[in-house]
Amino acid sequence: MDVKIEGSWRRELSGEFSSPYFTELAAFIRDEYRTGKIYPPGRLIFNSFDLCPFDRVRVVILGQDPYHNPGQAHGLCFSVPDGTAFPPSLNNIFTEIRSDTGLEVIKSGDLSRWASQGVLLLNSILTVRENQPGSHQNRGWERFTNAVIEALSSRKTGLVFILWGKYAQDKGKHINRSAHLVLESVHPSPLSAHRGFFGNRHFSRCNEYLAAAGTEQVDWR
């Protein structure tokens, strides 16, 4: 199947794109875009991959599914386009960065600046119906993103996987923890952030690990 995705990812995931489950998933997604309001825009479904080629990945932040309100989702987990109000979880992420690192975060919710440094901002499910969170669960995206995690885990070493919330942590079973650093905490949602997200120091701990390996640190601003 001809999937419009960055070339290194196309090579790494070619077996997925030729699988029957992905053919069924693609047919479902095409029909959804044809008949309803689906986010992100179709051209941005694989934005996280396009902005962060396989060979450049150093850190993976795992989300669940895209924002489901108009104008928010653009293919990067937790990120919103410039000019869009920060969702509560993103506000809490920025709060933790300031507390953890002392950095003052740029006043932009577009996290492309992280992706360009090798941070893969991966949602487990890559599409969603407007105002219907979780509406594209169990259609095949989970299998696809499991394959992404397994490819990164098995073919690279020294990555940092950041897993916030039970949903992300459940996907952690696909990570070789002897070869990578896995950081886990509750989700940055206002419902849980005060129960262990604030104070987790994931941003500084990530950079400490990268620095110890002789790898450039991430500028989290």
Side-chain angles (χ1 to χ4, degrees):
M1 176 174 292
D2 183 23
V3 176
K4 294 181 179 179
I5 192 172
E6 189 275 333
S8 64
W9 284 108
R10 181 189 302 278
R11 291 190 296 273
E12 295 294 334
L13 301 172
S14 59
E16 302 306 309
F17 298 137
S18 61
S19 296
Y21 89 87
F22 197 88
T23 300
E24 294 178 9
L25 169 63
F28 167 74
I29 295 301
R30 281 195 297 269
D31 188 61
E32 286 285 279
Y33 276 94
R34 187 168 56 250
T35 59
K37 290 186 177 181
I38 308 300
Y39 302 126
R43 71 185 186 282
L44 297 178
I45 291 175
F46 296 107
N47 195 27
S48 60
F49 302 92
D50 296 336
L51 295 180
C52 189
F54 184 88
D55 293 341
R56 296 192 59 196
V57 176
R58 299 185 294 133
V59 180
V60 181
I61 297 179
L62 189 63
Q64 186 165 348
D65 59 354
Y67 295 123
H68 54 85
N69 292 322
Q72 292 184 316
H74 67 143
L76 306 175
C77 72
F78 296 107
S79 178
V80 292
D82 274 336
T84 304
F86 298 169
S89 291
L90 184 57
N91 255 327
N92 287 340
I93 289 169
F94 289 159
T95 296
E96 175 59 20
I97 289 172
R98 286 190 292 268
S99 173
D100 180 18
T101 68
L103 296 171
E104 189 57 42
V105 180
I106 295 169
K107 294 180 180 179
S108 168
D110 184 348
L111 304 182
S112 299
R113 60 188 184 273
W114 296 358
S116 67
Q117 300 177 70
V119 180
L120 181 66
L121 295 160
L122 178 66
N123 275 316
S124 300
I125 302 161
L126 300 188
T127 54
V128 69
R129 292 178 195 147
E130 183 178 58
N131 298 324
Q132 296 184 52
S135 50
H136 286 177
Q137 286 183 355
N138 302 318
R139 292 290 184 168
W141 281 133
E142 295 93 337
R143 179 171 171 179
F144 174 74
T145 51
N146 285 346
V148 172
I149 295 169
E150 289 169 355
L152 289 167
S153 177
S154 64
R155 298 170 203 169
K156 297 174 77 77
T157 58
L159 301 183
V160 181
F161 290 86
I162 298 177
L163 312 179
W164 295 326
K166 185 177 185 304
Y167 189 90
Q169 290 163 20
D170 285 347
K171 291 178 81 75
K173 65 185 178 183
H174 301 283
I175 302 167
N176 177 0
R177 296 178 184 236
S178 65
H180 307 282
L181 175 65
V182 179
L183 300 174
E184 299 177 304
S185 79
V186 299
H187 195 275
S189 161
L191 298 175
S192 57
H194 289 279
R195 292 189 282 108
F197 177 78
F198 292 134
N200 65 24
R201 299 189 61 248
H202 281 180
F203 302 98
S204 62
R205 290 170 65 190
C206 170
N207 275 348
E208 288 164 3
Y209 179 83
L210 294 176
T215 304
E216 185 179 358
Q217 300 179 53
V218 177
D219 182 349
W220 292 112
R221 291 174 292 178

